[in-house]
Amino acid sequence: MEDILFKLAPLGCRTKGLRLKRNHVIGARKQLHRSLYRNTNPRGREGVKEAAQCATDSMTPRKFAQEVRPADSRPTVADLQGDNHYAQLAKENWLKDSGPSRFSPELLKKGVWDVLEKENFQFRSLLILENLQFLENYLWPNYSEDSSNYHVLLIALIVNVKSRENLPTWGTFAEKAGFSSLFRRLLSMNFDISLNIILRTHLLSFVISAFQSLDSGLVRKECAPLVSISVWHNLSTEAVRESKLETQSQLKRAWRAWNKRYEAADGGGKARLRFERSWLFSMILEFLNRLYETEQTLGNLVYCERFIEFLIDLESQLPTRRYVNTLIHDLNILPAIKLSPLFNNEENGLFRDLYGLLRHYAYFSIDDHTGLQLSQAASYDVHYAALAKLQRVSLKHFKSKLTILALSNYGSIDKGSELESHIAALTDQELSLLCSVLGLRISYPMDTRIVVDRSFLMEVLVSVHERKKTFQEVAKDLSILPNEKTLFEPTLLRNENYDGSRPLAIPKLNLQYLTVGDFLWRSFILHRCEAFFEIRKDIEEGLHRLQPRISHPGGETRFEGFSKMALLIPKPAVLEVAPPRVGDDRPAWVRAEITLDVSRLSENIRREWGSLRTDDVVFLMAVKAVDEAQPLANGHSPMLSTEKIGLRHLRAAEIVQVLDESGKPLGAPQSEQPNSGGHTSRSRIRRLHVKLDSYTYKMDSSSAETGNPDVYEGINVILRRKGRENNFKAILESIQSLTLSDIPVPSWLQEVFLGYGDSASANYTRLPNRVQAVDFRDTFLDWQHLIESLPGKTVEPGDDADSSFGPPYVLETCPAVQKPQKQPSKKRRRGQTPTLETESVKVSTYKPPNTGPYPTDLPKLNQVRFTPAQVEAIASGTQPGLTIIVGPPGTGKTDVATQIINNIYHNFPSQRTLLIAHSNQALNQLFQKIIALDIDERHLLRLGHGEEDLETDANYSKHGRVESFLENRTRYLTEVDRLAANLGAPGAHGNSCETAGYFNVVYVKPAWSKFQEESRPASIDATGIIKIFPFHDYFSNAPQPVFPPYASREEVLEIAHGCYQHIAKIFSELEDIRPFEILRTARDKANYLLIKEARIISMTSTHAAIRRQEIAGLGFHYDNVVMEEAAQITEIENFIPLALQNPKDGELPLQRVVLCGDHLQNSPVIQNLAFRQYANLEQSLFSRLVRLGISTVQLDRQGRARPSIADLYRWRYSQLGDLPIVENQQEFQTANAGFGYEYQFINVVDYKGVGETEPSPHFIQNLGEAEYAVAIYQYMRLLGYPGSKISILTTYAGQRSLIKDVLNHRCAKNRFFGLPKVVTTVDKYQGEQNDYVILSLTRTRRVGYLRDIRRLTVALSRARLGLYILGRREVFESCYELRDAFGRLLARPDTLQLTTGEMFPSSRLLGEGIQTSEIVGVEHLGQYVYEMTQAKISALKTGNLEPPTSEITVKDGPAADVLSADVSMEEADAARQGRI
């Protein structure tokens, strides 16, 4: 039991400045609070110094949180390379060019620790030390068991910073021995009373980080013993422990094993084991003491919050929960927290919310030891068993006082108040005896501050026996449509202000989950929070733009601003309130009408409002401006968040239809009458028919009946959201319905999905339904390719073949068997793995059937020569089970996925495959490759928007496929008429699919049977067979001759069978088309296509989430899921495609799941920092399974980029090689015309004295890099590079906008230049590539989020032939995480090196020596581009089109401004057009 794999997801706590402005309040006390806040440690907001602590002790946490805001504490280049104290220490000691100095404990104490202590361990200083590689280059290399406590504490502080910044943490400790001793010392220091509460909180944060990183074997080894069964030594009584051990035989074995281990240990070993079994117990007692301290401080509150977070983390995963949950219940932690002063202080909202989350997990519906999720009925059975025990004990020991309790039904005593009323009759001694008999703890160690009095024992009894809601009931009670209360509740606002210094009361997506229901519950809570966060931002922005103001003296609200997303409206008119359905007390539906005046809107905004679709959600608001001149109501209480923006009420509504002012649906034909001036008048009014939430309407109506104001009377604003962002309702409904449904994951996938058990259990080699013989068709191009693709395996020709032969190949795998060995001793056998024989593969072939005489009948074959790793991935994906394919950039993930789908399609004709991708673009790329293979297009279906971007002639949407079927019907029925004429069959056989089927049975099949009968005798030769062939006339339009003149008898028969196959296919397709003749409505036809006809159905993950209930409700079924870009899809969006169908025989009937992606590139995009880093919502199923150690297939040959460019990111992947194409093909061997290097990092200094700017939060720009990028683009275009082969990428959206502005000004209207293929951000360009990429890194003060190496990997891997990176050298070269990439980049000059006298394409070979010229700054390049442009204009005037060959020089005097190149743009355009 103790050897179970312990894994947890790491906590990322990256700090960012809050969006809210700081409160500019004058006053010495508030200034002190601000300074204290700036001097926070990574996990707490309290000061360290005694004086500072005293100043904040009397301040409530709520006031503290309201009056202080963190500043942006991230270090800049100046901090890391300037006169900063820590930067100077680093340069002199561990970042010296000559290598690190000798370690000095005195330096550590006086130079670092004392300074940090004087600064109250402020986070900024710790972050500077982390950026200066203090841990990697100084602390850890010099750590030993004799190191001082300061040394150990500094290591913990820096690790906490890394965890908070979501940086790799534990890899550093694997470089040398000693981590175990370090970890033990840190565990022991948690009990060091000489350390102040801040450092104790830091130590606790270190432990939390460790328990969230148990996928690291180094950490797991130290943490696992702390939560093993040995913690049961601390249970209240021996009887309690024995009763627990009796429940499972495994528990007894585990307990005996631990005791044997203890008895066998020496003195030191026993001391270590005693420490391990008592550590958690001692920590909990320390926590309980802090709960009941007489004088509560902010530091103590933060420590207690962190400790509850720690307990939640332990409870939320089965391996850590298994024994800990019993201890938590035995110690009565939940009742103790509930009765504590901290909990009963209403100011401590976060603490109370954390208690609620801990309570949720402590009573989660699961068997702690088997891991089985308890159904609602089973949960109630457990609850009723506890009540039954209480009744039996009551009747036996307290019959005179608790008879009514003992005889009551369960429903009447499962509420806390009812239990208390029954038990109140007992005396204090009797109450203590009752708890003791029930096995509840009634005593604690002497030094514990908990007072076990009557109120405590009563709370313990009630907490154990009252009924708790299951997670399904909790999810069901949560609303999906927000109102002003749910949208602005304190818990959500706290998430918005997250900075990493305090925990949050939200669930985390860990590496493991308790059950599938637990995963769905967490996902629902988090996605609901994220959706409400986005809605709140849109509402705040809309109201900010409308600028509501108070009109004096009347006090009316007027709106001085304008927003295209929000309009003023009169109050809604309720049209219909339907009676409640049977068994319900709320209206069946409520419909209302909203009138919009669109007369003053511009045409495009009117069009946007008119484009609202059915089921779109709009928000109705009652807005009343805040009179800022009026004093607060009670003189000092702060306004609520809704009051600050003037929002009084908020209601959501769903669009039913949009009407014009005459009441006609918008878009219907209308007759427009000209007005008196002869102009056609446009509609002034739009009427929206909407559906209100019936439950909310009922509550509002009930409130109005009691005398409260009518909510709908005050509604005066309607707000809409962008279509892409407004699908939250459908997605949340899908997640909620799954949470409530107890969806059963396939049994073969269950344990792997949850993160438990054997990591290889879902691999096809372990499954009983493994397919022994697979037809690989066109996967292998020839015999040599087959041999190369199966290294380490013995390839044997089949029984009917003696040597090599051509494809297609059918591979039958003979499983490897264990070689017989001499039986070794038991001691020798331990730890050894059996020796296996080499796996052998038996290869057979067959002759593909002739499919017909027409060129269109020929099958489309694969032309890709797959690598061995790709073949391994294809073979695994074709088999049942789970296949995870890790595809580094350019390794052909899409080709592999396409071939897997092709193999499944042909090997398993009765199975259906669901194809999922994150984006429409990726889905279309995959779909286009599928179309190019031998897959019948009638079996392909593309759902959702984006199909219109498919570069194909056919339409693969539902309605497009239906139209295609009907078009094919006409074509095939014409062929039936031709066949009828060929056979001389009278009648209208081509009228319908039904008549065609009759014709096939009566005429065609008999004719073919007759031919087969007559051609069977061996005496009839080829000429005779040709003579009796019955379809000569029909195939007269085929390429002639159909039968070659010298064909053998066998060849003639084969051709004849191919001709009949062509005919049979016509009638087969007509049979498939026949239902479309019968079905009348387009909807019925489309649904039939989805659930019956299509065999490969593709959609985006978002479409699957939106339409999940609708698709599953149709009876849609499928057998396989292939997911592209799986690492970019959130985990719930990974899961929903697995559950788009209803269970069959108690589980989802999935045969195989194939996930393709790259966890080392970008993760899903989550906007909110709290959800992204604290809750780990950016986790994908793909990355989680990889971290769990599930077996993967990694593609290991890239064919995208030059080998030298691939070297920039090759270090991120193990054994990433190159395909021959990138070494042998001409374009990879030739140099880039006009450039000295195929890739370069170009250092860009401040342009006109300015580096990066931030016009608005997170909208970062750099004009110098923007101008430089455009100048390089202009230079390339002047040399003849096609614009379509150039992409400009940037790391920030602000820089993208700036570059687009510069391009529009310089290039858009100039035919010399035009625009590049794309200008976009790195995040948006993942999955794309181009020949030449210009990359702007933008930042000049600090690295920013590019410190996430995944983003840099994406950025460096987009270019095939040329990559030119613009950035600030000193910012990036000092970043520890980026050192491998920038070490290679900066090995070359950091100024742009150009060559002259070349035009695109170049004939110069890469690496060929050539003289280069240096470009010094953007002005220099701008001048040269200007001169080239002038030279080109002159050449056009004279008719000389030779390239300019002047050297690159800088004229005397000031450097020419790059903007000067604009002067000749119109002149250049005129020259090209011949006007000059």
Side-chain angles (χ1 to χ4, degrees), residues 47-108:
V48 175
K49 292 296 184 180
E50 293 285 344
Q53 184 68 62
C54 293
T56 56
D57 280 352
S58 60
M59 187 177 186
T60 64
R62 182 173 178 180
K63 290 180 181 178
F64 187 90
Q66 289 170 349
E67 297 189 30
V68 294
R69 292 290 182 263
D72 187 358
S73 56
R74 299 190 177 282
T76 64
V77 175
D79 294 320
L80 302 179
Q81 299 185 0
D83 296 331
N84 181 278
H85 168 71
Y86 301 111
Q88 293 300 316
L89 281 181
K91 290 178 184 177
E92 295 169 4
N93 293 278
W94 64 86
L95 291 182
K96 293 195 305 183
D97 294 336
S98 59
S101 301
R102 184 176 180 180
F103 177 70
S104 169
E106 183 179 2
L107 169 72
L108 202 66

Side-chain angles (χ1 to χ4, degrees), residues 869-895:
Q870 289 175 321
V871 169
E872 182 185 355
I874 293 168
S876 178
T878 305
Q879 291 277 359
L882 174 66
T883 298
I884 301 176
I885 303 171
V886 179
T891 52
K893 293 188 296 290
T894 305
D895 289 326

Side-chain angles (χ1 to χ4, degrees), residues 854-906:
Y854 297 95
T856 54
D857 292 328
L858 295 176
K860 293 176 281 188
L861 300 178
N862 162 61
Q863 301 298 322
V864 178
R865 196 174 188 87
F866 293 112
T867 66
Q870 289 175 321
V871 169
E872 182 185 355
I874 293 168
S876 178
T878 305
Q879 291 277 359
L882 174 66
T883 298
I884 301 176
I885 303 171
V886 179
T891 52
K893 293 188 296 290
T894 305
D895 289 326
V896 169
T898 304
Q899 192 63 29
I900 290 173
I901 294 168
N902 188 32
N903 286 354
I904 294 173
Y905 176 84
H906 289 286

Side-chain angles (χ1 to χ4, degrees), residues 76-143:
T76 64
V77 175
D79 294 320
L80 302 179
Q81 299 185 0
D83 296 331
N84 181 278
H85 168 71
Y86 301 111
Q88 293 300 316
L89 281 181
K91 290 178 184 177
E92 295 169 4
N93 293 278
W94 64 86
L95 291 182
K96 293 195 305 183
D97 294 336
S98 59
S101 301
R102 184 176 180 180
F103 177 70
S104 169
E106 183 179 2
L107 169 72
L108 202 66
K109 173 66 169 65
K110 295 182 179 179
V112 180
W113 179 264
D114 289 348
V115 178
L116 284 173
E117 189 175 34
K118 189 178 298 183
E119 297 172 344
N120 294 338
F121 299 96
Q122 61 172 304
F123 179 69
R124 178 180 175 80
S125 296
L126 293 171
L127 196 55
I128 290 174
L129 284 169
E130 190 282 322
N131 275 266
L132 291 170
Q133 304 168 34
F134 187 41
L135 175 66
E136 296 85 356
N137 290 352
Y138 200 70
L139 287 177
W140 181 238
N142 295 296
Y143 170 79

